[in-house]
Amino acid sequence: MTEDLKTQLQGIDDQLSKRFIDLDPDGYFIIYIDPEAGLICADHYTNTISDKGLALDPETGEPIPVKGGIKRSPTRTFKGRTAKELGMEITEKTNPCPLSRLDHALYLGREFVRAELALIRGETYIQD
């Protein structure tokens, strides 16, 4: 891939990342890798969505900061050796499925692939 094409594609993704996103009322995931175990992990957290579209802690009713800052316990931790295995664990083996929006599922799939590639390459993974 040429640098020009790479820059162009990154520009498309950067622009799309600036759009408004309707949050999933079924919760959100914090994704990370465990290189020693060879696993992609996804902690699931519940939330409620305010009438302004903000994610709120269901216990306190307070907004959940984007950059962290509050300690919450995940409702569940999902693990897989590949993006596909992890995605199937969440969408096919968990009832009820802890996500309700197709755009959220697509986002998770992209992030799981990025995490898998980081695991394979021995690189650091940072969730987008």
Side-chain angles (χ1 to χ4, degrees):
M1 176 184 306
T2 68
E3 278 304 310
D4 188 44
L5 179 57
K6 187 175 178 181
T7 301
Q8 182 182 7
L9 295 177
Q10 186 62 53
I12 292 169
D13 278 357
D14 290 347
Q15 191 62 35
L16 289 171
S17 292
K18 294 176 185 175
R19 76 196 187 290
F20 177 80
I21 299 170
D22 285 318
L23 300 176
D24 193 331
D26 285 352
Y28 63 95
F29 293 83
I30 302 296
I31 304 164
Y32 56 96
I33 58 175
D34 180 345
E36 285 85 38
L39 294 171
I40 307 161
C41 306
D43 290 342
H44 177 261
Y45 297 86
T46 58
N47 58 219
T48 57
I49 307 300
S50 74
D51 55 359
K52 295 180 181 177
L54 298 174
L56 306 176
D57 184 322
E59 293 180 18
T60 66
E62 295 295 317
I64 299 169
V66 175
K67 299 283 185 184
I70 58 173
K71 181 69 176 155
R72 298 186 69 215
S73 297
T75 58
R76 182 162 174 190
T77 298
F78 297 91
K79 298 178 181 182
R81 295 163 293 188
T82 68
K84 189 174 198 172
E85 182 177 54
L86 181 55
M88 291 173 66
E89 181 70 29
I90 293 169
T91 61
E92 296 179 15
K93 296 182 180 179
T94 305
N95 190 6
C97 179
L99 60 111
S100 63
R101 296 186 52 88
L102 292 177
D103 56 344
H104 192 198
L106 289 168
Y107 161 76
L108 289 173
R110 288 191 313 270
E111 286 301 307
F112 294 162
V113 168
R114 288 183 61 242
E116 180 179 330
L117 290 172
L119 194 60
I120 291 167
R121 296 173 179 161
E123 298 173 348
T124 301
Y125 167 75
I126 298 172
Q127 185 174 352
D128 184 21

